[in-house]
Amino acid sequence: MTRNAKRQILDGALDLLRTEGGGAITLDAAARQAGLTKPGLMYHFPTKEALMLAVVDHVADRWETLLLHRLARPLQTASPHQRIRAYVEVALAEPFDRADFAIYSDAHYRDTLTDTWVRRFEPWLALPDTLADAARARLTAARLLADGYWTAAATGVFPIPDHDRAQLLALAEDLLKDETS
């Protein structure tokens, strides 16, 4: 399977979530969306679980690409403030939709999918135990602000008007001040 074919299947699965309003991805529907037979799809993704794991990784890959672009340095060299800042900026500035939210929320009903999210995002969101309590609270508040904004934007439920985004970014920036520098 070529990388492009795999991407086509995974992008198609996300498109299903957009057009179906966030319903479940089935092997039959994913195969039709990709222009394959079900056995053709199952050659590459033998189970729905395998397909869903690949879709979660596909979405996490997009996030990681965006995060690394914002971070502009290797993740391993970034401070907690820099990592959380990148996360906040991506969540508040990049376009996301109900497919992103559906795959994120669906993952929490299956341990293997949840484990994938945790594995992929823990390096970005984990805060060291040695971080001062006040800094930890500020970084956590900034992350939760970003999570709330992302949820509203991705679901379309109580969306935040675009003109308020700049004020939210300013508030997040205040929370993200690294007072040890």
Side-chain angles (χ1 to χ4, degrees):
M1 171 184 210
T2 67
R3 178 169 285 221
N4 288 338
K6 181 178 180 181
R7 184 176 180 94
Q8 181 178 342
I9 291 169
L10 299 174
D11 285 342
L14 289 172
D15 285 342
L16 281 171
L17 291 174
R18 285 181 191 99
T19 59
E20 299 290 323
I25 298 171
T26 66
L27 292 176
D28 287 320
R32 274 192 310 278
Q33 185 75 18
L36 299 171
T37 62
K38 184 176 178 181
L41 178 90
M42 290 180 72
Y43 175 78
H44 304 292
F45 299 104
T47 64
K48 181 178 175 181
E49 177 98 355
L51 176 61
M52 294 304 296
L53 280 168
V55 171
V56 168
D57 264 331
H58 185 59
V59 171
D61 285 344
R62 176 177 176 234
W63 267 90
E64 190 165 43
T65 297
L66 294 167
L67 288 165
L68 286 168
H69 177 74
R70 292 279 177 169
L71 189 60
R73 68 176 343 125
L75 175 62
Q76 300 78 4
T77 66
S79 71
H81 283 82
Q82 291 165 329
R83 289 184 286 109
I84 299 296
R85 173 176 272 112
Y87 180 84
V88 167
E89 289 175 356
V90 167
L92 278 121
E94 297 295 333
F96 294 101
D97 62 27
R98 62 183 170 189
D100 297 293
F101 184 78
I103 204 65
Y104 171 78
S105 61
D106 188 48
H108 294 287
Y109 295 103
R110 298 185 187 120
D111 289 343
T112 56
L113 300 180
T114 300
D115 293 345
T116 299
W117 279 115
V118 170
R119 177 180 48 80
R120 296 296 299 270
F121 285 94
E122 188 170 39
W124 290 94
L125 302 176
L127 299 175
D129 292 336
T130 57
L131 196 61
D133 289 345
R136 180 181 215 78
R138 292 170 71 84
L139 293 177
T140 300
R143 191 203 76 181
L144 293 174
L145 180 148
D147 287 346
Y149 177 85
W150 178 83
T151 300
T155 63
V157 177
F158 302 115
I160 308 302
D162 285 338
H163 64 272
D164 289 343
R165 187 183 305 192
Q167 293 301 315
L168 289 172
L169 279 167
L171 181 59
E173 187 61 38
D174 188 52
L175 290 168
L176 290 166
K177 287 180 184 167
D178 186 352
E179 297 177 7
T180 63
S181 302

